[in-house]
Amino acid sequence: AAGVIQSPRHLIKEKRETATLKCYPIPRHDTVYWYQQGPGQDPQFLISFYEKMQSDKGSIPDRFSAQQFSDYHSELNMSSLELGDSALYFCASSLPNGGLPWWGYTFGSGTRLTVV
Amino acid sequence: AQSVAQPEDQVNVAEGNPLTVKCTYSVSGNPYLFWYVQYPNRGLQFLLKYITGDNLVKGSYGFEAEFNKSQTSFHLKKPSALVSDSALYFCAVSHTSGGSYIPTFGRGTSLIVHP
């Protein structure tokens, strides 16, 4: 079965550089979520999109931005990278959550970003 | 605000023995509760959820969890642990009020099953 695809799997960047992470949701899933998981930490919600519009915003730094495209894939753009941005970035997709019930996410395998 | 507590950083159990991974939560309104498992270098995999109905929820790989409203708990259980169950387990909660269903995750509990 198709899963959530994230690219790249690994990324190494230097401080102050930019990075773009991509997420391709499961077909027919039109809701995408981004999470950041630091070393030994729980996943922290960053931002979500529903039907190409931002639907919710969490602890996403101002240096980061994201968007969802017409094919429902999403990109997380990160600028002025800092050492503390080193983390595993997960994307998840779900069926529309505009109404009950909500059945949970399907997560991708993540992009491991290392800032040096 | 909603929150999740997983009081144990690590749980050790012998293969074949029952296991319990603890989770307590705090939300306003009725909770939606979830368990996810994370294997090394892999994404979070959905195990089971409680939305409404029976307090005992059965999920993937023989896992089950019991919703206890009075104790605000949702402990994950399995009658007989396997070495392959060794992984990181996350409890998550969202709520039905406020229009946002984005879940909050606990810190995670590392389950180690010894042969």
Side-chain angles (χ1 to χ4, degrees), chain A residues 9 33 35 37 40-43 45 48 56 88 90 97-105 107-109 112, chain B residues 32 34 36 38 41-46 49 51 88 90 94 96 99-108:
Chain A
R9 290 294 303 274
Y33 315 80
Y35 278 81
Q37 186 180 21
Q41 303 295 314
D42 54 296
F45 170 68
S48 63
D56 228 321
L88 192 58
F90 286 113
N97 70 348
L100 296 173
W102 182 78
W103 299 114
Y105 300 132
F107 283 85
S109 295
R112 184 169 295 283
Chain B
Y32 288 173
F34 305 86
Y36 288 85
Q38 184 179 31
N41 299 314
R42 300 290 296 276
L44 293 159
Q45 295 181 37
F46 172 78
K49 66 182 184 293
I51 303 295
L88 194 56
F90 288 95
S94 70
T96 60
S100 171
Y101 304 105
I102 304 297
T104 298
F105 285 83
R107 293 289 302 272

Side-chain angles (χ1 to χ4, degrees), chain B:
Chain B
Q2 58 193 31
S3 64
V4 176
Q6 292 183 243
E8 303 152 317
D9 290 335
Q10 185 171 301
V11 170
N12 291 278
V13 64
E15 187 174 31
N17 283 359
L19 68 88
T20 299
V21 182
K22 296 180 180 177
C23 170
T24 57
Y25 66 90
S26 175
V27 296
S28 56
N30 294 319
Y32 288 173
L33 294 157
F34 305 86
W35 276 101
Y36 288 85
V37 59
Q38 184 179 31
Y39 297 99
N41 299 314
R42 300 290 296 276
L44 293 159
Q45 295 181 37
F46 172 78
L47 276 181
L48 51 80
K49 66 182 184 293
Y50 172 82
I51 303 295
T52 187
D54 289 341
N55 290 341
L56 185 63
V57 178
K58 294 187 182 296
S60 306
Y61 312 119
F63 284 93
E64 58 188 31
E66 186 167 13
F67 170 62
N68 187 317
K69 189 173 183 178
S70 63
Q71 297 184 4
T72 61
S73 67
F74 190 58
H75 301 330
L76 181 69
K77 299 181 179 183
K78 187 173 183 180
S80 178
L82 299 172
V83 172
S84 58
D85 292 331
S86 298
L88 194 56
Y89 290 80
F90 288 95
C91 181
V93 65
S94 70
H95 60 92
T96 60
S97 63
S100 171
Y101 304 105
I102 304 297
T104 298
F105 285 83
R107 293 289 302 272
T109 298
S110 177
L111 173 67
I112 300 175
V113 181
H114 303 278

Side-chain angles (χ1 to χ4, degrees), chain A residues 1-64:
Chain A
V4 176
I5 306 299
Q6 289 189 248
S7 67
R9 290 294 303 274
H10 302 274
L11 190 58
I12 299 175
K13 290 286 186 178
E14 295 187 354
K15 284 192 302 183
R16 292 179 289 277
E17 284 193 317
T18 61
T20 296
L21 310 185
K22 297 183 179 182
C23 169
Y24 296 86
I26 289 175
R28 294 186 297 279
H29 282 194
D30 59 5
T31 308
V32 170
Y33 315 80
W34 285 97
Y35 278 81
Q36 177 192 56
Q37 186 180 21
Q41 303 295 314
D42 54 296
Q44 294 292 319
F45 170 68
L46 293 178
I47 195 167
S48 63
F49 292 87
Y50 168 61
E51 281 294 339
K52 293 155 280 186
M53 299 288 290
Q54 180 182 308
S55 57
D56 228 321
K57 192 172 182 180
S59 55
I60 184 169
D62 291 340
R63 298 177 289 109
F64 294 5

